[in-house]
Amino acid sequence: MDVMREYFVTGLKNAHAMEKQALSIMEPQLNRLEHYPQVLERLGEHVRETEGQIERLRQILESAGESPSAMKDGFLSAMGSMAALGHVPAQDEIMKNSLANLAFENYEIAAYTALRTIAEATGDTQAAGLLEQSLDEEKRMAAWIQENLPEITRSFLARKAEGLGAKV
């Protein structure tokens, strides 16, 4: 059980840092989506969900007598900021961001699935419930991106064909 607890705590700290990274990827996009209002609205909602996920992870860590890793949080936040900046000069920035966001959502789904499974295996029903809530939010966001990617792509192509700024 000690090994399972140790792995669970490490996974929770990693997930906390992952969500900090997610914020550092999404927040800069919010200022750059003037031509894609539906993406702006949904991404803004997901930023708020992500803030809630960070709080739930903190609660679970606290109940285990642990705290987030400032080093992991800082490192992954910096990496997320660099990733977000990497797409800014691209002529197809909205496409690159959309594809990267979908990939990241699926990574988060995998992380929360594993963490929920560990919580269930240890009998921590409270943590399992909180992790399930975050998992559901990530699944909804991934599904939204997947469902809206054709429209985002068509909007990008139409703006590009009209000679308009098609990036974001």
Side-chain angles (χ1 to χ4, degrees):
M1 196 61 114
D2 288 339
V3 171
M4 206 177 321
R5 182 189 184 286
E6 181 181 330
Y7 186 72
F8 187 51
V9 168
T10 298
L12 291 168
K13 289 180 180 188
N14 290 343
H16 190 275
M18 169 187 73
E19 294 299 356
K20 291 288 198 170
Q21 181 181 22
L23 284 179
S24 70
I25 291 169
M26 292 185 293
E27 288 175 336
Q29 291 179 46
L30 294 176
N31 299 321
R32 303 183 51 74
L33 288 166
E34 66 184 78
H35 302 302
Y36 302 89
Q38 76 279 20
V39 179
L40 176 62
E41 180 180 342
R42 184 60 182 103
L43 198 61
E45 289 171 12
H46 196 56
V47 164
R48 289 184 294 282
E49 289 173 341
T50 301
E51 290 166 346
Q53 292 164 7
I54 290 168
E55 177 58 24
R56 285 192 289 276
L57 288 163
R58 189 198 58 71
Q59 287 174 356
I60 298 168
L61 281 164
E62 191 174 272
S63 73
E66 300 284 343
S67 61
S69 168
M71 186 174 72
K72 286 181 184 183
D73 286 359
F75 179 75
L76 287 183
S77 289
M79 295 299 290
S81 294
M82 288 190 302
L85 287 174
H87 294 167
V88 171
Q91 291 301 310
D92 61 345
E93 179 182 1
I94 185 65
M95 296 306 303
K96 284 184 174 33
N97 284 341
S98 296
L99 299 176
N101 289 346
L102 181 56
F104 201 84
E105 292 303 323
N106 281 287
Y107 176 78
E108 290 173 307
I109 289 167
Y112 281 117
T113 299
L115 286 170
R116 183 200 58 204
T117 301
I118 297 168
E120 290 169 348
T122 63
D124 190 340
T125 56
Q126 182 179 1
L130 292 171
L131 294 164
E132 182 70 30
Q133 186 177 349
S134 295
L135 176 61
D136 289 345
E137 290 168 350
E138 299 299 0
K139 285 179 177 178
R140 283 193 303 273
M141 184 61 182
W144 187 92
I145 297 170
Q146 184 71 46
E147 291 166 11
N148 285 274
L149 192 55
E151 180 56 34
I152 294 166
T153 303
R154 284 190 288 275
S155 294
F156 165 75
L157 292 173
R159 292 188 64 75
K160 191 78 170 159
E162 293 175 25
L164 301 172
K167 291 173 58 165
V168 288

